[in-house]
Amino acid sequence: MDKSKIPTAQRAALSLLLDDHRNVKKLFKSFESAKERSEKEQIAQQTCHELTVHAQIEEEIFYPGLRGVHEKIDEMLDEAKVEHQVAKDLIAAIEGDLSGEMLEANYKVLSEYVNHHVQEEENELFKMVISKNVELGEMAEQMTARKEELMGAMA
């Protein structure tokens, strides 16, 4: 999704989420190209941390702020909630055994799963939010503050 095409009233909130999506996609690519096991473990740990923060921001602020706007959005939010739980289970498996033999398999499934979720969010949910002209200004401030708080707490 091209940030410049997002209406100003929605740009800050959606850009924060889009930036997270891009960052995690870069981590997925870095993991694939990493040669050393220790590097893969570090990238996996960073990915899990960033996805955990991102999901928490969406679940605490973004998704609740969209509830009730439109029936189709509510359906997408229900699906996203399930997708987040599956991602959390994979994150727990990765973090629980970073040096284990299932790291690469779990990480691969996580990356595929998250890429699917991101695509749906950007191509369906975000576009619906834009088309319904949902006001996100205050939400953007809350999301930014919460992200800073969580990144510091989980570091």
Side-chain angles (χ1 to χ4, degrees), residues 95-145:
E95 289 180 327
D97 194 17
L98 262 178
S99 58
E101 62 186 44
M102 295 300 290
L103 173 65
E104 295 208 22
N106 282 323
Y107 194 88
K108 175 81 171 155
V109 173
L110 178 66
S111 69
E112 290 171 351
Y113 209 79
V114 168
N115 282 327
H116 165 80
H117 174 74
V118 163
Q119 219 167 354
E120 282 188 343
E121 231 175 39
E122 292 183 13
N123 296 330
E124 296 174 31
L125 180 61
F126 291 3
K127 286 183 178 180
M128 178 78 75
V129 167
I130 291 168
S131 75
K132 297 296 175 196
N133 203 24
V134 180
E135 169 52 49
L136 302 177
E138 188 177 314
M139 193 185 299
E141 291 174 24
Q142 293 172 355
M143 288 166 54
T144 300

